[in-house]
Amino acid sequence: MHSETYNIKGMHCASCSSLIEKTLKKVDGVKSVEANFGTETAKIFFDESKTNIHNLSEKIAPLGYSFITTNPLNHDGHYIKTAEQMGMTAEEHASHTGIGQSKYQKLAEVSSMRINLISIAPLAIFSIFLMTWDILVQFNFAYPLPEFLVEFFHHLLPIFATYSLFVIGKPYLMGFYRFLRFRKANMDSLIGIGTSVAFLYSFIITTFEETLRPFLNIEHTYYDVTIVVIAFITLGKYLEAKAKIKTGDAIEKLLNLQAKTATVVKQGKEQEVSIKEVVHGDYIIIKPGSRIPVDGFITEGVSFVDESMISGEPIPVEKKVNDKVVAGTINTTGAFTFKATKVGAETLLAHIIKMVQDAQGSRAPIQALADKISAVFVPIVMVLSFISLGAWLIIGTSYFGFAQAVSYGLVSFVGILVIACPCALGLATPTAIIVGVGKGAKEGILIKDAATLEKLHSIDTVVVDKTGTITKGRPELVGFKNSSKLSDEKLLSIFATLEKKSEHPIAHAILEYVRLKNISSLEALDFEVIKGKGIKGTIEGEEYFSGNAKLISELGLSFDEKGIEKDASQGKTPIILANNKEVLGVILVADAIKSEAKDAVKSLHKMGIKVIMLTGDHVNTAKAIANEVGIDEVIAQVLPEDKLKKIKELQMQGCKVAMAGDGINDAPALAQADVGIAMGTGTDVAIETAGITLLHGDVSKIVKAIRLSKFTMRGIKQNLFWAFIYNIVGIPLAGGVFFPFFGWLLNPVFAGMAMAFSSVSVVANSLRLKLKKL
């Protein structure tokens, strides 16, 4: 079973996505189809032995749709070679095959819409002027136009309307045609039927004026309605298309992070090559200000790298030998050489782009109701429009006479068809999801799908692993006590001199601290490891010991045992330095708490979210860290299966649980939780299992992710509310339901205006998410 996402040309409304799904699902070999109006894509699962994209494209072509991008098949239904196979860059491949050009095609489509808008705008302005003048004359606010002008306009408007309908309105006429031929309707069909009926009625009146004078009001035609409605729809579509392009700019910005070339060392010489020529194991030179082309690790040099475009963190990160660097980040000051370990689609940047694309194209559960309504919306609206016309002709004739009843009936018929807007419903959820997922990516929050984003807003309990989530996951020097007459610098130098010959992780923590303080070490003689206790060595003619309390006790030296025990109970490891006479000082090493952890927990509490810490560590260590950070509940000394049981237990109590972790042992719990959050510094297993990945393992991004979810869901609910209200109020108003009570009947011109701006307002509301501060 093959799965692929394809961009589709011709999707103009939510009913289009429903129509595409229904049509393709009937094809033998197609398992499922998910069409998304917001992204104008369709994700198709199909059996390649039974069908291919060429066959599927033929099924939707008569309905006015076609696959335009990411199509891996040629006209015979066979796979087109990839850019790598053809020895081309992605840009050259797109140009050669016509694949991956959706952005350019969308811009071309917007440009075409702009030209149409410019050409119809003067006609619409002229028509609105005439309509407004007629209204002013009725209320004695203006004088009637001279007879010769009335006669001139009487013949001019049909010409304007003909151009508007048959040139600018061609897509809507095609929608009408496809409805008549294939019995498949969408929003274009509604506009096409409404404007065609208005035009046809007016044309018959104009052609057979004298014949119809006894039966109809021949003074009243609807050419102006045809012109202005098509103009407003064109304006709405133009604004909507421009706004929709902006909703997806996160992907474009991520793509622009990719370097085009790399400076590779080959046979001892520097060569600038295309990014596609970089392979595993290449040594790449990075100069100040250069963008890093692929993922790898530094083999030579030290620098600071700006990773803000990947992680959202504004401060450049120091990079030294053996540190990882990732594609898309920018080197700031120093120069270095690194070895390529991941290229092409393997890089973190490529993974992020793929994840964002998949998430933006996915559906949120909240969209289900809108999808169901959109699927039956157009047929229901068409039935309502004919019912309204029939009611006016049958009931209205007895009250107003046939001529006036026909006039009212036609206004209602066209008004219902024009004002009904499945677009607002169809855009309500996907546009907000696209913007929300894109904003998350900019902040270093990768969201796997829309369902995860929706679930996150209702989370009331966050369960965190200690190591790598609350703490840094590596030992650091967190305390230093000098009880000697030596200076702090001298004492630390002695510590470093002894520890630099040790392979213990604690020794690395001490050496890193000393390095950052720019303290130089000395020379040690007679170095010896005292197994299970510590080390000793002679420095500047004096023997020194560095180790645990047991070593110092055996030396017969006195020390602050209670203080050492207290430090140990808080999860700190004391390293005591002594000579043969006395204890000189103590260094405390621990898995340090992340600087942002306290603020993150405090922010979660403000949001009414309970924080629980699960850890395999000793209960005293866990409690000490929990107390310092402000965590509500601690469960220590747990096994991986215990973490899973705790998540299930919380869910049985009715809690909505998010689990944050970074290790393989967290994967089962991440999968069980309502939302799994992987810290980006963790294992691939944890990242694959989780619904959300936080790059660089910043725990404060849990808060940002929840805020993003709440903002996005609020935007979706606002969009759906206005889309439903708009249709619930607009359709009855256009149909004349309020006419018997208040004399209200909506002119189709205003219906077209309202319909055009309803979808624009939904997209604009979604775009407001970009301005929200997380």
Side-chain angles (χ1 to χ4, degrees), residues 31-47:
K31 184 182 178 184
S32 68
V33 183
E34 291 181 9
N36 188 313
F37 171 43
T39 56
E40 296 178 25
T41 60
K43 188 174 185 180
I44 309 170
F45 294 83
F46 62 95
D47 186 341

Side-chain angles (χ1 to χ4, degrees), residues 68-73 80-81 90-91 93-102:
I68 58 169
T69 66
T70 61
N71 183 3
L73 302 170
I80 291 172
K81 290 182 179 179
E91 292 81 5
H93 186 256
S95 176
H96 179 75
T97 60
I99 293 169
Q101 301 184 75
S102 60

